[in-house]
Structure formats: C-alpha cells, structure tokens
Amino acid sequence: MAIGKLEVVLVGAKGLDNTDFLNNMDPYVILTCRSQEKKSSVASGKGSEPEWNETFVFSISEGVEELFLKIMDSDSVGEDDFVGEAKIAIEPVLSEGSIPTTCYNVVKDEEYCGEIRVGLTFTPEANKQQMCLNAKQVHDVWNILRGIVKKKALADGKSHLIDVKHQSIDQFPVPQ
C-alpha cells in the first residue's frame, strides 16, 4: 500500500574519486528505493564534479527506510566502473515533508570518496481514515441542514416533500 510519493532532485556531486586514468569519468547515478530503480543521464566528461539537475519520483510504501544512490562511471569499452554509493534515510523527509538540497557522503569500501547533493520532497496520499473523516463531516452537515429544512417544511405544511428528500439523504452510508 502506497503512503505517498517521494520526489528526489539529483543536483550533482563533488570530490568524487576519478576512476578513469586517461580521461575525465562519465558519471551517472542509479537510484533505488526498494524494488524501484531509476537511472540518471550520463554526465559525459564531467569527471569528479558532475551536475545532473534531474528529478525522479518514487512510490513510497510502509516500511521503506532508505534511498540508495549508486554512482557509476560509464565506459564505452568493458563494464562500467563503480565509483561509490550513498544511503539516505527516508524517515526525516516523511516527517518533515521536504529536505532542501543536502550533501550526503559517498563511500566505497567504507571509505569517504566524495559527496552527492540531493533534495527530497514527500507528498502523502490521502488515506482512507482521512476520507472517512471528511465523509462523516459531510454527513453531519447534511443532518444539520435536513433538520433545519424539515422544521421549516413542517411549519409550511410540506412534510411529504421533505420526507422524500429525507429518504434520499439517508441512502448515503455513515462512515464509522
């Protein structure tokens, strides 16, 4: 069950260890939130100071604790090189709603190897409890209005017409 949407703004990185010896590396990021995976564009030739300024949206469900960012160096020959990774705890953005662009440590083999800048925004989805509360409030207003109209109708001698409307109002279930 989704509890909301997490918007991730991947801004850039700095101080990354260059995995290419002859050229500037071509970094990109694989963003993973549970089973959802997104990939940034390749910052061709940007080396250890890439800028992406890209936005990604993830559906967040209960129990999600971290967003993983894996920085890779795109190579035209052979496999892409692993540059480093960052783990971002989700709980602060769930409680705050948004975290402005912040630098997170990039590590490789448990050693610092640069920083990645990311902004986070969480938008909760309306849950059933909130919708029931709103439906109950609407029903309460209907009851108040029905009582006012019924009293006026009885004073005007039009109770039959109000009874028909009264039945249509009661057809709506009252949320518990």
Side-chain angles (χ1 to χ4, degrees), residues 31-115:
L31 302 92
T32 307
C33 189
R34 269 207 178 154
S35 62
Q36 301 169 78
E37 188 173 281
K38 316 263 182 180
K39 182 181 171 186
S40 75
S41 61
V42 175
S44 297
K46 298 298 180 181
S48 61
E49 308 283 329
E51 295 287 331
W52 291 282
N53 294 309
E54 296 178 26
T55 302
F56 304 89
V57 178
F58 293 92
S59 179
I60 299 297
S61 58
E62 290 184 36
V64 173
E65 296 179 0
E66 292 181 311
L67 172 68
F68 295 92
L69 306 173
K70 184 177 177 181
I71 304 171
M72 302 293 291
D73 173 24
S74 179
D75 288 334
S76 54
V77 178
E79 291 185 20
D80 293 351
D81 300 315
F82 175 68
V83 176
E85 65 184 350
K87 296 177 185 178
I88 302 174
I90 298 294
E91 193 281 322
V93 73
L94 296 181
S95 61
E96 296 294 323
S98 68
I99 304 289
T101 301
T102 303
C103 290
Y104 297 92
N105 288 343
V106 175
V107 296
K108 180 178 181 180
D109 299 325
E110 298 182 17
E111 294 205 16
Y112 173 87
C113 61
E115 295 178 345

Side-chain angles (χ1 to χ4, degrees), residues 17-26 47 73 75 81 108:
D17 289 343
N18 194 347
T19 58
D20 282 348
F21 298 108
L22 301 175
N23 301 314
N24 276 336
M25 65 179 172
D26 307 310
D73 173 24
D75 288 334
D81 300 315
K108 180 178 181 180

